[in-house]
Amino acid sequence: MTSREYEVVPADPVYDAELVDESAPRTDKPSARRGFASWWQRSPKVPLALKSRRAATQAGKDLVVRVLRSPYRFVGAVARGLVAAMRGWRRWVTVHDYRDAAEQSEKLADKFTEIRALTLFRWKVTGAVTVASIVVVLVAQLVYGAVVLWIVGGAASVALAILGRRKEGSPGRKPVLSGPRSLTWTMDPQVLVDAFRDAKLIGKDETLRLVERAARQGDGWAITVDLPATRKAADVVKNREALASALAVDEVQLIAERVRGNGGHAGRVSMWVADEDPYAAPPLRTPLLNVEHWDAWRPVPFGHDARARKVNLPLVWTSLLIGAIPRQGKTFAERLAAVGLILDPYTRLYVADFKGGKDWDACEPCAHRFFSGDDEMHLAAFKTWLEELVSETQGRYARMRELDDETCPESKITPAISRDRALNMPITAVIVDEAHIPLESRIPVEIEGKKIPLGKYLGELLTWLAKKGPAAGIVVILATQRPDGNSLPTSLRAVLGSRFALRVMDWRDSNIILGEQMNTRGYDSSKLLASHKGVGILRPDGETETGADVLAMTVRTYYMPNPDWRAICERGRMLREAAGTLSGHAVGADPTPMLDRAAVAKAIGGGTAPAEDVELVELPEPLASVVDYLGEDLDGPDGREFVPTAELVEALGIEPTTFGTQMNDLGCRSRRDRIPMADGKVRQVRGYFTADIRAAIRAAGDGEAADDAED
């Protein structure tokens, strides 16, 4: 046969298995035995050699080698011990310590007589001890025989071997590479003290005071200590990364908090160290999936911290800002906050999805106002919404002023008022996804005879609502990418109560979301791992399960996939149908409200300041890019005074020398100023004062006006 007559046919896989009768009762008892086996494998108290046969075999081999090498090692240790003993005796008999002290105090000549006398005395002591020791040994040898010499020689050799044993890192000794460091501080308090010293949180002569002993809490160890006097717990929180390195754990496994209240003080620290990465496990489903309805006045279940403590997010009487780079879970986090409002049939929802996707489509059937898109018509609708809410807020304050003190005791909305259909003041949530899109719009609009960018006007409306709306039941929830002065006005960021920062690119972006100098306090979302989806730093405005005095915390949000999201929105629709509270877009009636726009503009402060008109002038580059980057930070009420050159160069992607030359030609020179850095220190850097930038803008505007006059 030829080779063509053969044909290779792939065979099916062959499996080796046995038939298992599932009806037969199980005879094993996994609970106690498996639990003990799991503890045996994970416990640091059990030696590694007892955890597996392979480790035990290797340990046996190592033991045999050590036994065979022990005579040579013993002789070498005795020799090194003899040398070390002779060196120590020589330093003692020559009064080396006393001589060094005299040299440092520059009084060696004055102390020469005393040093010589002390040296002579120590020589006499050495001679006397030597003679006495020899006499005692000889007498004992005459009485008991040669066994005394063996005992004395053996004891002396053991002592010298101990003195001459090799130590890692000791001067003159052989360096040895040690194995990986492990978390052993829970077993040895001295290791914890050494870790604080290594992290430079306490001095070499200082120690810690134990308040609560190390104990198991969840999947980690908890301990509370007092720092030495004048040492602050805030420094421990700020230097958490250095302490985690000293404890040989990742910083996400270490939680360090200052103990506040009656049981705490500025130097008391509570620490919790996880056995492993607490955010590596699968996320938990939102508990609201199994809830029939929710009260918007209750904090919304938002997630849990590393210690598995629930974190509930209050929404009424406050507002929320969520920020992160793309694909880190901003929309998921915003929908979690909205779920508690959706499941309360007495809330009113304004949902603006400027992403234009389908993330919020399930919420449309229960929303009072809704759109998804970023066209000019959507921007105009959003402007109308905000003007409507400003008018509504003013009307609510007017109606509350007419209520008696029992119904409205503090000029704030109450649960009873929000559910009174006659008063028509329900909790109203303004939910905006990708909020930077409308706020960056430069479409000119005319407000009280002045033309200003639409984004500027929308920012003023949102700022007004975030300031005055919470007491009237208006809740503002914004999600955006890097909320700098260009995409989110500084004045708006300053009045948003709760902040949630998912992973960002650097510490500056984290500070923009969480607040200035938060990285120096130990809270920097740029250090979150990319694999930690849905993990962010929450700065709450109100009390949470972890305590009312917590500045910020790392939180892993609950998981709510699209099927769960749709089921919750459908339940919200049914709840509103049953309560008779469906309105607006949800019932197909989304009329344009009748507004007094002049009254709205007057309420928020008349629109703009005269300097804002300069922004419509065509500015030369790179000045125009600088203005776009700074935004409200340039001329807002809470604007910056100084901007480092390095920050502008990085943001604009321009060559530093070229940038400096061009800005100098425009009449804006760089200067030096001191600013706080990421490490908490204050350094002197070159940059530009915003006053000089504004002067360059006015000069550019005057130049353009002069050119127009000549034309």
Side-chain angles (χ1 to χ4, degrees):
M1 292 185 178
T2 63
S3 59
R4 295 183 179 178
E5 296 179 8
Y6 291 96
E7 184 178 358
V8 178
V9 179
D12 295 331
V14 178
Y15 300 98
D16 185 12
E18 62 176 323
L19 183 61
V20 178
D21 185 5
E22 294 185 355
S23 62
R26 297 183 61 180
T27 59
D28 58 338
K29 297 179 180 180
S31 57
R33 185 171 64 255
R34 292 183 181 177
F36 177 77
S38 176
W39 172 85
W40 186 271
Q41 293 295 328
R42 293 185 296 104
S43 176
K45 297 181 180 180
V46 179
L48 182 62
L50 300 180
K51 293 185 177 181
S52 66
R53 181 176 300 176
R54 182 178 180 182
T57 303
Q58 185 62 40
K61 294 179 181 179
D62 295 341
L63 179 61
V64 172
V65 173
R66 290 175 66 90
V67 170
L68 295 176
R69 293 180 58 189
S70 58
Y72 304 98
R73 297 181 63 185
F74 182 78
V75 173
V78 171
R80 289 192 300 271
L82 182 60
V83 173
M86 292 300 295
R87 287 176 177 175
W89 169 79
R90 184 175 179 274
R91 290 177 62 87
W92 176 79
V93 79
T94 56
V95 203
H96 197 276
D97 51 349
Y98 195 82
R99 185 186 297 272
D100 289 344
E103 288 180 354
Q104 292 179 4
S105 61
E106 298 181 355
K107 295 181 179 180
L108 182 60
D110 299 338
K111 302 292 183 180
F112 181 77
T113 303
E114 297 179 15
I115 293 174
R116 185 175 181 180
L118 185 57
T119 302
L120 182 60
F121 172 76
R122 290 186 177 183
W123 271 107
K124 293 179 180 180
V125 170
T126 301
V129 171
T130 303
V131 171
S133 300
I134 293 174
V135 170
V136 170
V137 171
L138 290 176
V139 171
Q141 191 266 341
L142 291 174
V143 175
Y144 298 102
V147 67
V148 174
L149 299 179
W150 286 102
I151 294 175
V152 173
S157 63
V158 170
L160 291 175
I162 294 175
L163 181 63
R165 70 187 187 277
R166 295 189 185 276
K167 296 181 181 179
E168 298 177 10
S170 298
R173 310 292 174 88
K174 180 181 178 181
V176 179
L177 285 176
S178 62
R181 292 181 296 128
S182 59
L183 179 62
T184 59
W185 65 272
T186 54
M187 310 304 166
D188 187 357
Q190 184 59 41
V191 177
L192 178 61
V193 175
D194 292 341
F196 269 78
R197 290 172 179 168
D198 293 340
K200 294 182 174 55
L201 297 174
I202 60 176
K204 293 183 178 180
D205 299 329
E206 296 177 327
T207 186
L208 302 173
R209 183 176 181 181
L210 187 64
V211 179
E212 293 182 3
R213 295 185 179 275
R216 293 290 297 180
Q217 287 188 7
D219 295 329
W221 290 89
I223 190 171
T224 302
V225 297
D226 276 348
L227 301 175
T230 72
R231 299 285 183 175
K232 297 181 293 184
D235 295 332
V236 178
V237 177
K238 180 174 65 175
N239 296 282
R240 183 172 59 94
E241 185 175 355
L243 181 58
S245 175
L247 292 173
V249 297
D250 192 275
E251 54 265 30
V252 299
Q253 295 177 241
L254 173 62
I255 295 179
E257 300 173 345
R258 173 187 168 186
V259 181
R260 305 294 297 270
N262 295 330
H265 56 80
R268 180 162 293 179
V269 182
S270 172
M271 297 191 305
W272 184 82
V273 183
D275 298 331
E276 55 188 14
D277 187 350
Y279 306 114
L284 301 177
R285 302 284 278 270
T286 174
L288 290 184
L289 180 62
N290 301 319
V291 174
E292 290 297 326
H293 60 84
W294 191 258
D295 185 355
W297 288 85
R298 294 176 57 190
V300 179
F302 192 64
H304 58 89
D305 65 0
R307 304 172 69 170
R309 296 179 297 184
K310 296 180 181 178
V311 177
N312 296 332
L313 183 64
L315 292 177
V316 179
W317 290 344
T318 186
S319 50
L320 174 64
L321 170 64
I322 302 172
I325 59 178
R327 294 175 298 280
Q328 290 299 315
K330 295 189 303 295
T331 301
F332 269 72
E334 191 174 26
R335 294 198 308 196
L336 280 170
V339 163
L341 303 170
I342 292 173
L343 291 178
D344 187 341
Y346 295 97
T347 62
R348 187 176 292 169
L349 304 175
Y350 285 66
V351 181
D353 179 17
F354 284 99
K355 185 185 297 183
K358 61 177 183 179
D359 295 324
W360 292 90
D361 287 353
C363 184
E364 183 177 1
C366 56
H368 180 73
R369 296 279 188 267
F370 181 89
F371 69 72
S372 178
D374 58 355
D375 297 334
E376 189 170 341
M377 57 177 291
H378 298 117
L379 296 173
F382 186 58
K383 169 177 169 291
T384 303
W385 289 8
L386 298 183
E387 291 174 335
E388 176 187 8
L389 288 170
V390 170
S391 299
E392 170 69 14
T393 303
Q394 290 180 308
R396 290 188 180 192
Y397 279 118
R399 294 196 297 275
M400 283 191 290
R401 197 162 47 240
E402 299 174 357
L403 299 176
D404 57 73
D405 292 341
E406 183 177 353
T407 305
C408 184
E410 298 181 0
S411 297
K412 293 181 179 179
I413 194 171
T414 64
I417 294 176
S418 66
R419 290 179 172 84
D420 192 335
R421 301 284 295 278
L423 294 177
N424 191 25
M425 287 189 283
I427 296 297
T428 302
V430 185
I431 303 170
V432 186
D433 198 0
E434 303 294 348
H436 58 279
I437 293 177
L439 295 175
E440 290 176 344
S441 174
R442 299 184 64 83
I443 299 175
V445 293
E446 186 171 342
I447 305 297
E448 290 193 324
K450 298 179 182 178
K451 283 191 176 183
I452 62 172
L454 175 61
K456 183 78 69 176
Y457 182 56
L458 295 178
E460 292 176 351
L461 292 170
L462 282 172
T463 302
W464 191 93
L465 287 174
K467 287 179 178 179
K468 299 193 64 176
I474 308 298
V475 180
V476 178
I477 303 176
L478 306 179
T480 179
Q481 300 175 23
R482 189 179 190 264
D484 54 13
N486 193 32
S487 60
L488 203 66
T490 306
S491 56
L492 174 57
R493 276 182 281 141
V495 294
L496 294 173
S498 297
R499 316 284 186 87
F500 185 59
L502 294 128
R503 181 170 168 265
V504 295
M505 295 306 296
D506 59 28
W507 62 271
R508 288 182 291 266
D509 298 344
S510 178
N511 283 350
I512 287 173
I513 302 170
L514 297 174
E516 292 297 330
Q517 305 300 317
M518 285 296 289
N519 68 306
T520 63
R521 303 183 188 182
Y523 303 103
D524 185 357
S525 63
S526 66
K527 295 183 179 180
L528 298 174
L529 300 181
S531 59
H532 290 165
K533 300 294 184 182
V535 178
I537 299 177
L538 175 65
R539 187 177 183 181
D541 181 17
E543 184 173 355
T544 64
E545 294 287 335
T546 56
D549 300 316
V550 176
L551 176 62
M553 69 196 81
T554 302
V555 176
R556 184 172 195 177
T557 58
Y558 287 119
Y559 180 59
M560 186 175 59
N562 286 330
D564 296 353
W565 165 246
R566 287 194 294 269
I568 290 175
C569 291
E570 291 172 1
R571 193 179 309 152
R573 167 85 181 193
M574 290 187 294
L575 289 172
R576 283 167 173 76
E577 288 177 347
T581 55
L582 279 178
S583 61
H585 185 85
V587 295
D590 196 1
T592 302
M594 300 299 295
L595 298 172
D596 185 356
R597 287 186 166 82
V600 172
K602 183 178 180 181
I604 65 173
T608 64
E612 292 175 336
D613 290 334
V614 178
E615 202 170 327
L616 298 178
V617 176
E618 288 293 334
L619 298 176
E621 291 291 347
L623 188 59
S625 298
V626 172
V627 172
D628 289 339
Y629 171 71
L630 293 177
E632 281 289 328
D633 286 342
L634 182 60
D635 54 10
D638 300 317
R640 301 167 63 178
E641 295 182 357
F642 182 81
V643 185
T645 302
E647 178 182 343
L648 293 175
V649 168
E650 180 182 357
L652 303 180
I654 192 173
E655 200 274 326
T657 304
T658 304
F659 176 74
T661 302
Q662 292 175 343
M663 291 293 288
N664 188 38
D665 294 341
L666 294 172
C668 190
R669 300 178 180 273
S670 64
R671 307 190 187 191
R672 291 188 178 274
D673 194 20
R674 296 183 177 273
I675 64 171
M677 306 302 290
D679 55 4
K681 299 180 180 179
V682 178
R683 298 179 183 175
Q684 190 177 49
V685 299
R686 296 196 70 88
Y688 297 88
F689 286 95
T690 53
D692 296 339
I693 297 176
R694 288 194 296 270
I697 294 173
R698 287 192 294 270
D702 295 340
E704 184 171 324
D707 294 340
D708 293 340
E710 292 178 0
D711 294 340

